[in-house]
Amino acid sequence: MFVPCGESVPDLTGFTLLMPAVSVGNVGQLAIDLIISTLNMSKIGYFYTDCLVPMVGNNPYATGEENSTELSINAEVYSLPSRRLVALQLRSIFIKYKTKPFCEKLLSWVKGSNCARVIVLSSSHSYQRNDLQLRSTPFRYLLTPSMQINVQNKMKSLNWEEMEKSPCIPEINDSEFCVRIPGGGITKALYDESCSKEIQMAVLLKFVSEGDNIPDALGLVEYLNEWLQIIKPHSEDPTVPSLRWKMPSSWRLLFGSGLPPALF
Amino acid sequence: MNSGVWEEVGFAKLWNEWCRTTDTTHLSPAEAFCIFYHLKSNPSVILCQCSCYVAEDQQYQWLEKVFGSCTRKNTQVTILTCRHVTDYKTSESTGSLPAPFLKALKTQNFKDPACCSLLEQPNIVHDLPAAVLSYCQVWKIPAILYLCYTDVMKLDLITVEAFKPILSSRSLKSLVKNIPQSTEILKKLMTTNEVQSNIYT
């Protein structure tokens, strides 16, 4: 459930909700971190749930002493009212059997707060691509029917590739075709629930492998930016993407502590 | 607990795969307990000894049962826990850190100063201490977590002594007697737990 930081529940009518799926390489979560950090979004509440493994730490977006001691938990909501953007960040994995209840609770909150649309940032295993996908861009989009009505033309003008259908049961020749997102965590479940509840949802994903996924996250936010124009678009500003998006202080030491000098 | 008279007032019973069977005649797995005591001279002070592992899918229910029965108003929570020093992320090598050392995390509504430095980014805390602190942060209960990073796997005097600074904190100092003699008292409490080495007998 959503619990506000302050006394009153903020009005999110007409806002665009950006959220990650906990997926391969954690690309969606890294991308949301970049968005919250770059836009300096303010925390407006918590999504308190028994569906995610608990964790706490100090403010992951700290820029100095004065804001480094605010406690953060595993699911928090940030907003930027001037751009009508709200972001949900998920920082831990799902507890067994809790993915479906989470999807239901989340979408019920989305409907209740009158958000205009939801954009899910996700990823899928790059080793599962077919021959055509191997030769094309690694980015894909997916829209629920109610979202298609509004933005299909925009997607066409951006020359984006829609996520292809593949055999539901990969080894069976005459299997039906459906959208599969291996490694995408709850992406498919969220998408299916949104279709049936007529929620306007878009999924933006990248085919990735596990490793240093910071470049993948930068790629995914640039892809999102082509559509939403969160920061100045690429053609007007030729600087490298990593300089235009601000990496949060919590990204330090992603691959562990310093090494003992005696090792060398 | 050595300083006052504490009375057992309840327990939380749970079972998970981490519980060890100590009873060899009955093969059913042992249940684990978290025991709650209150201070006889001041029953509003409650202490919980949690000597079992509360699994991730039990933590939420544990919280609801424990905190659901007490009022959120005028409550302050202090959590003490330990982690191995290799869990601590720093730009130096963890081998060079002065273990054991204490770090703290506190909720927005906890206004007193901590007895040690706060846990720096990008370090995080998991398990039951994180579940309790999350609950307190969301429901605006003042709470502080003291986390001791230690380089030993078993209970030892040096690790326990690392918690000494918190005995002088505003919330705990009225509960503890004889702080200067605490090292001696701790030694006595701990010898009962030590396994006598019998390599040379």
Side-chain angles (χ1 to χ4, degrees):
Chain A
M1 59 181 286
F2 177 73
V3 181
C5 287
E7 293 304 318
S8 58
V9 180
D11 183 12
L12 301 176
T13 307
F15 276 47
T16 297
L17 170 66
L18 303 172
M19 64 166 287
V22 180
S23 57
V24 56
N26 305 100
V27 177
Q29 294 160 286
L30 292 171
I32 293 289
D33 259 355
L34 283 171
I35 293 168
I36 294 171
S37 177
T38 306
L39 297 178
N40 203 18
M41 294 174 85
S42 332
K43 183 155 57 174
I44 57 167
Y46 308 97
F47 199 78
Y48 189 61
T49 171
D50 63 339
C51 302
L52 291 161
V53 171
M55 54 74 58
V56 288
N58 274 328
N59 183 9
Y61 311 112
T63 49
E65 281 280 333
E66 67 288 349
N67 62 7
S68 65
T69 58
E70 296 157 25
L71 198 68
S72 272
I73 69 165
N74 58 5
E76 296 187 317
V77 183
Y78 297 77
S79 84
L80 187 64
S82 57
R83 303 288 304 274
R84 295 165 78 73
L85 280 177
V86 58
L88 167 68
Q89 178 61 302
L90 304 176
R91 301 196 173 99
S92 61
I93 52 174
F94 287 97
I95 291 173
K96 212 170 182 183
Y97 308 126
K98 293 289 192 177
T99 49
K100 196 162 189 297
F102 180 80
C103 291
E104 285 163 10
K105 286 176 199 172
L106 175 73
L107 294 178
S108 151
W109 171 61
V110 165
K111 276 212 142 170
S113 18
N114 294 313
C115 286
R117 57 192 180 175
V118 183
I119 301 175
V120 180
L121 300 182
S122 182
S123 52
S124 185
H125 285 303
S126 60
Y127 67 78
Q128 291 267 4
R129 288 176 291 172
N130 60 29
D131 292 347
L132 272 171
Q133 288 169 329
L134 278 168
R135 290 195 280 262
S136 62
T137 167
F139 298 101
R140 293 289 184 279
Y141 76 91
L142 203 53
L143 304 172
T144 54
S146 46
M147 183 70 139
Q148 259 166 11
I149 304 164
N150 295 327
V151 303
Q152 190 69 56
N153 291 332
K154 177 73 179 170
M155 300 294 148
K156 281 207 164 69
S157 70
L158 288 169
N159 247 336
W160 279 9
E161 298 236 15
E162 192 171 7
M163 187 66 176
E164 301 90 337
K165 290 196 170 143
S166 56
C168 292
I169 306 164
E171 300 304 314
I172 306 294
N173 282 336
D174 55 357
S175 163
E176 277 181 21
F177 275 58
C178 58
V179 169
R180 286 171 57 243
I181 308 176
I186 61 167
T187 309
K188 184 73 176 27
L190 265 181
Y191 173 75
D192 290 339
E193 274 287 306
S194 300
C195 286
S196 63
K197 289 188 160 65
E198 291 174 354
I199 291 177
Q200 289 193 46
M201 175 179 283
V203 173
L204 267 53
L205 63 86
K206 184 174 192 249
F207 292 115
V208 304
S209 302
E210 291 272 359
D212 179 357
N213 299 107
I214 293 176
D216 298 309
L218 285 164
L220 194 58
V221 290
E222 285 286 337
Y223 185 58
L224 173 70
N225 203 45
E226 284 177 40
W227 174 20
L228 289 191
Q229 317 247 297
I230 300 174
I231 63 174
K232 263 198 322 192
H234 175 72
S235 49
E236 292 173 33
D237 180 1
T239 51
V240 176
S242 53
L243 296 176
R244 300 187 304 128
W245 298 93
K246 188 165 125 203
M247 296 194 206
S249 53
S250 54
W251 283 19
R252 280 180 65 234
L253 307 173
L254 267 182
F255 298 99
S257 292
L259 298 170
L263 205 59
F264 308 105
Chain B
M1 283 184 80
N2 199 53
S3 300
V5 182
W6 296 84
E7 190 183 30
E8 189 179 317
V9 290
F11 58 83
K13 204 161 64 164
L14 53 95
W15 183 87
N16 54 53
E17 293 80 1
W18 286 75
C19 301
R20 305 282 170 161
T21 305
T22 49
D23 190 337
T24 47
T25 46
H26 300 95
L27 290 173
S28 60
E31 281 164 322
F33 293 81
C34 297
I35 306 179
F36 295 84
Y37 304 87
H38 75 192
L39 191 58
K40 270 191 129 164
S41 53
N42 184 358
S44 66
V45 179
I46 300 177
L47 190 151
C48 171
Q49 274 268 19
C50 199
S51 43
C52 59
Y53 178 66
V54 181
E56 58 197 29
D57 57 347
Q58 296 172 316
Q59 287 157 15
Y60 188 84
Q61 284 73 27
W62 189 98
L63 282 169
E64 293 293 305
K65 285 245 168 353
V66 171
F67 284 87
S69 53
C70 57
T71 171
R72 287 176 193 160
K73 279 191 157 68
N74 298 322
T75 300
Q76 190 175 88
V77 180
T78 303
I79 309 154
L80 308 182
T81 192
C82 271
R83 278 292 172 276
H84 198 269
V85 71
T86 46
D87 268 358
Y88 183 70
K89 290 207 173 41
T90 170
S91 47
E92 312 159 39
S93 145
T94 46
S96 59
L97 293 169
F101 58 90
L102 214 56
K103 289 287 176 188
L105 275 177
K106 50 185 184 148
T107 61
Q108 191 114 6
N109 288 57
F110 190 91
K111 302 298 182 193
D112 293 338
C115 302
C116 59
S117 54
L118 296 184
L119 188 63
E120 309 87 349
Q121 290 81 349
N123 290 288
I124 56 174
V125 176
H126 305 109
D127 295 332
L128 189 63
V132 176
L133 210 61
S134 300
Y135 181 94
C136 294
Q137 173 73 359
V138 170
W139 301 114
K140 302 179 171 60
I141 301 171
I144 188 160
L145 161 66
Y146 286 105
L147 169 55
C148 178
Y149 284 100
T150 175
D151 53 0
V152 294
M153 301 297 281
K154 293 172 86 161
L155 182 68
D156 83 324
L157 189 60
I158 301 172
T159 300
V160 179
E161 286 221 302
F163 282 104
K164 248 165 103 165
I166 69 166
L167 299 178
S168 323
S169 70
R170 202 173 75 92
S171 42
L172 295 185
K173 66 178 176 208
S174 55
L175 299 177
V176 188
K177 294 197 294 235
N178 299 325
I179 294 178
Q181 286 91 42
S182 58
T183 308
E184 286 308 309
I185 298 172
L186 274 174
K187 270 199 191 139
K188 279 193 217 151
L189 289 170
M190 289 189 58
T191 40
T192 46
N193 289 322
E194 271 174 30
V195 174
Q196 292 301 321
S197 168
N198 58 4
I199 289 178
Y200 300 109
T201 59

